[in-house]
Amino acid sequence: MPVSPKQARTLKHRSWVAFLVVPPIVFMSLFVVYPILSAFAYAFYEWRGLARGEFVGLANFREVLFGPTMGPVVWNAFLHNVYALVALMVVQNGGGFFLAWLLYKEPFGFRFHRVAVFVPVVLSTIIVGFLWKLFLNPNFGIVNQALYSVGLDSLARPWLGDSSTALGALILANAWHFVGFPTLVYLAGMQRIPSEIIEAARLDGTSEWQLLKNVVWPLVAPSTTILFTLLFIGAFNWFEIPYVMVGLDGSPFGSTDVLGLVFYRTAFGNQSASVQNFGQGSALATLLFLFIVVFASMLTLWLRRREIQF
Amino acid sequence: MTTLTHEAAAKRPVSFAFLAQIVLIANSFVMLYPVVVMVFSAFKTTGEIFEHPFALPDFTQVQNFARVLGETSMPTYFLNSIVVTGASVVLILVLGTMAGYAVARYESRTNTVVLLFFLAGLMLPLKLAVIPLFILLRDLNLLDSRWSLIFTYTAIGLPSAVFIMAGFLRSLPSELEDAARIDGASEPRIMWSVMLPLARPPMAIAAIQNAVPIWNDFFFPLVFIQTDSAKTLPQGLTTFMGEYTTDWGMLFAGLTVAAAPITLLYIALSRQFIQGMTAGAVK
């Protein structure tokens, strides 16, 4: 069949575009789409080590949610994730908002403070975890040493070994690590507010708190949307800080257990006892996946609605 | 904006600005002091750390560092981190620019679908698909190799790179292409010689945005890598910390060595780092 020059040109053009898009799509399909779809499928099978066994329907899901051994562990961990989410929302994102407002006024030393608050963000979570684990050491850590040196001996305690303080310590270490991120995202959001709006509010004699609450907060809503959504995803994927600081078992007494640790233990086992269970691990991953996608989308949509255009 | 702040500052009581200063200084202290203690302790012996945790060290005592670099596998971990991060970022940039360019410069319905395909990957936590990834990499015989990490990180980073590149390339005027086309330049030539030289800033953003989390990642090496010689820095650090549990001088030296490159790089290029790492959120 003879090909006209025009057809030849289109063909050439098409193959060029295909050359551009096909490799990235193949790559994504192989290493993202296929694993995610398989994770759903794996959850419906029994697994013997690395080998897939029988189709067992919803048995893995039932065991993960309501089974006598897994159920209580999973729900306990879930509550800790919720707790971490709420606490980080206040300490990390809330703290970031107020720090951003202080930086927004570009006070003396503004550049220095802006660089300083972001230093921990670039550090690896593993470094942050080990660093705070050493600082929180009951005998020699600087946290207790500092308390002793100012005479607050009664406050010193084995922070990570005490089930009433361990989770809080992990949350604070996480907030120290990441507070710079919301700070700079909020700062960027505040700098995008037209200065006439803030000027007008100030001329009306609005108090600082009123300005913050009624003008700045609503106008940085787009920053809030993205920060809350990212924090939501991060809080339910929480793994590194607890793993490094208190270990795979969520010790002491499961008081720092989170879903990330439960998932890892279930799927890949741990040194002490348990075996790999890819079926239950996949069921847990699937549930967590659906939970994150559904709630993160709802959160985003809900937060988007309260954004104001200006 | 400067005049505004001045006027406003004049109207409000001085105490507010003063209070703000105190809070900011206290905050920067809390952010930096732990890092300073880490570096100071790396120059001390374990005994000195326990007895004088806050004292200024003698900076000529470098035996901790000498041991970390000479006796442990830290240099290997370092090299692996550099290779894995470098290769992943290059792959992300190449594949991300290809897809981003096609989507931005050749608009069609198929290409919109392609963009949506990549956007869908933006929010999905691939961490949860680690079991199938593990099995896939085992079947491809890549487990326990640096390739397992490079492919995984590329897959995680690709969506955001496509997003950043497409967003930027779309903003370039089409007159540039038209002029080159009239001159008889081929499509690949236009992309390579006309458009891509203009796209260096978004490439730098995409590179930093991906390089930092890849350099710092711990989860995937933990699952994929067993052999000591293939471990990256964060994973190697856990091995290292496990070996020297009681030698605190060594522990702090290891942490300092591991933290040094990215922290120094950040201090030198803080503007680019901040822009790169907050890029997706600020837009």
Side-chain angles (χ1 to χ4, degrees):
Chain A
M1 193 174 76
V3 182
S4 74
K6 194 173 172 231
Q7 273 174 319
R9 228 175 17 246
T10 337
L11 192 70
K12 209 172 151 195
H13 186 89
R14 282 214 177 133
S15 47
W16 163 240
V17 176
F19 166 77
L20 288 177
V21 294
V22 170
I25 288 180
V26 168
F27 197 92
M28 279 290 281
S29 308
L30 187 59
F31 290 102
V32 177
V33 179
Y34 169 75
I36 286 176
L37 295 179
S38 315
F40 295 156
Y42 287 4
F44 294 94
Y45 289 86
E46 199 193 321
W47 285 77
R48 282 180 292 273
L50 284 169
R52 194 162 71 175
E54 316 244 298
F55 180 85
V56 289
L58 292 172
N60 287 323
F61 292 96
R62 250 196 318 268
E63 175 56 30
V64 161
L65 285 175
F66 311 110
T69 43
M70 282 293 278
V73 174
V74 168
W75 288 107
N76 176 48
F78 176 76
L79 280 181
H80 291 151
N81 282 104
V82 173
Y83 184 77
L85 172 69
V86 174
L88 289 172
M89 204 90 105
V90 175
V91 183
Q92 195 169 292
N93 282 359
F97 177 78
F98 281 103
L99 284 173
W101 180 237
L102 297 180
L103 284 173
Y104 170 75
K105 295 153 193 258
E106 305 199 359
F108 174 76
F110 160 73
R111 270 164 229 283
F112 169 77
H113 294 306
R114 191 179 51 179
V115 171
V117 77
F118 208 71
V119 165
V121 179
V122 299
L123 292 178
S124 159
T125 315
I126 297 310
I127 295 177
V128 172
F130 278 127
L131 194 59
W132 282 100
K133 192 181 174 179
L134 292 173
F135 287 165
L136 291 167
N137 182 284
N139 304 315
F140 303 112
I142 58 162
V143 173
N144 280 356
Q145 298 258 28
L147 290 172
Y148 291 137
S149 68
V150 295
L152 290 168
D153 296 34
S154 60
L155 285 179
R157 64 194 69 231
W159 300 98
L160 296 174
D162 185 334
S163 51
S164 63
T165 53
L167 186 60
L170 302 190
I171 288 167
L172 285 180
N174 195 86
W176 179 82
H177 186 192
F178 278 124
V179 71
F181 185 76
T183 303
L184 292 179
V185 172
Y186 272 131
L187 180 61
M190 288 170 188
Q191 283 167 342
R192 284 159 55 99
I193 300 175
S195 55
E196 307 87 64
I197 295 183
I198 292 181
E199 204 167 349
R202 284 241 166 86
L203 288 175
D204 286 346
T206 330
S207 76
E208 190 77 15
W209 173 248
Q210 294 276 321
L211 180 70
L212 212 53
K213 185 167 139 269
N214 298 333
V215 180
V216 177
W217 175 251
L219 289 182
V220 293
S223 305
T224 307
T225 304
I226 194 115
L227 287 171
F228 277 21
T229 309
L230 287 176
L231 182 65
F232 181 86
I233 298 172
F236 281 94
N237 270 311
W238 213 29
F239 177 76
E240 283 86 353
I241 285 268
Y243 178 89
V244 170
M245 290 181 72
V246 292
L248 204 44
D249 296 318
S251 60
F253 316 116
S255 62
T256 56
D257 213 6
V258 289
L259 290 171
L261 295 178
V262 178
F263 168 65
Y264 186 90
R265 287 204 306 267
T266 312
F268 298 101
N270 66 6
Q271 301 93 325
S272 52
S274 60
V275 286
Q276 302 193 337
N277 191 327
F278 276 4
Q280 286 178 15
S282 297
L284 192 56
T286 302
L287 290 169
L288 198 49
F289 221 105
L290 293 176
F291 178 79
I292 289 175
V293 170
V294 169
F295 275 84
S297 320
M298 278 166 54
L299 187 70
T300 308
L301 288 176
W302 177 69
L303 288 166
R304 279 257 167 83
R305 270 224 314 269
R306 55 180 281 282
E307 287 177 13
I308 305 162
Q309 299 297 320
F310 57 85
Chain B
M1 197 164 68
T2 14
T3 53
L4 166 72
T5 358
H6 283 308
E7 274 171 38
K11 240 182 281 167
R12 273 171 297 127
V14 187
S15 62
F16 187 88
F18 185 67
L19 202 70
Q21 267 298 329
I22 290 180
V23 174
L24 279 176
I25 291 170
N27 183 69
S28 292
F29 180 79
V30 171
M31 290 294 128
L32 296 179
Y33 191 64
V35 181
V36 171
V37 170
M38 172 180 82
V39 178
F40 280 8
S41 306
F43 289 94
K44 297 176 182 176
T45 64
T46 308
E48 284 168 339
I49 294 170
F50 291 167
E51 277 161 45
H52 312 287
F54 305 104
L56 211 67
D58 175 1
F59 287 105
T60 56
Q61 303 292 313
V62 293
Q63 62 270 45
N64 289 330
F65 291 104
R67 286 182 63 202
V68 165
L69 296 174
E71 292 172 25
T72 72
S73 304
M74 279 296 217
T76 313
Y77 305 149
F78 244 109
L79 187 70
N80 287 333
S81 274
I82 290 171
V83 170
V84 168
T85 309
S88 308
V89 169
V90 168
L91 262 177
I92 290 171
L93 286 184
V94 170
L95 292 172
T97 304
M98 285 164 73
Y101 190 83
V103 166
R105 304 311 298 183
Y106 305 104
E107 287 194 45
S108 71
R109 209 173 308 134
T110 351
N111 281 349
T112 316
V113 176
V114 172
L115 184 64
L116 288 175
F117 173 77
F118 282 105
L119 285 190
L122 210 54
M123 286 262 211
L124 296 175
L126 196 60
K127 220 178 190 175
L128 293 173
V130 71
I131 295 175
L133 258 180
F134 180 86
I135 293 178
L136 174 71
L137 291 165
R138 184 202 57 178
D139 294 345
L140 295 173
N141 232 335
L142 295 173
L143 219 51
D144 214 9
S145 83
R146 291 181 289 204
W147 286 108
S148 63
L149 298 175
I150 293 169
F151 287 150
T152 306
Y153 294 145
T154 305
I156 294 174
L158 202 46
S160 72
V162 173
F163 186 62
I164 291 174
M165 293 310 295
F168 178 85
L169 290 165
R170 200 171 260 169
S171 71
L172 295 176
S174 61
E175 284 82 4
L176 287 171
E177 277 164 292
D178 297 341
R181 255 179 219 128
I182 290 166
D183 288 345
S186 65
E187 296 297 314
R189 176 121 220 111
I190 294 171
M191 176 180 174
W192 187 255
S193 308
V194 181
M195 307 305 265
L196 288 192
L198 298 169
R200 286 202 195 113
M203 281 184 182
I205 287 182
I208 291 179
Q209 192 176 44
N210 286 295
V212 177
I214 293 173
W215 178 269
N216 287 339
D217 183 61
F218 170 69
F219 184 77
F220 290 105
L222 178 72
V223 178
F224 296 156
I225 307 289
Q226 297 281 320
T227 328
D228 204 49
S229 62
K231 284 178 181 172
T232 56
L233 204 48
Q235 189 199 10
L237 208 53
T238 54
T239 318
F240 171 85
M241 300 294 280
E243 275 174 47
Y244 294 92
T245 34
T246 53
D247 192 340
W248 282 38
M250 282 288 277
L251 296 181
F252 279 114
L255 289 173
T256 305
V257 167
I262 200 146
T263 315
L264 294 177
L265 210 60
Y266 165 66
I267 290 170
L269 303 169
S270 56
R271 215 164 54 88
Q272 287 84 341
F273 263 71
I274 290 171
Q275 209 190 350
M277 285 185 70
T278 53
V282 172
K283 271 275 171 80

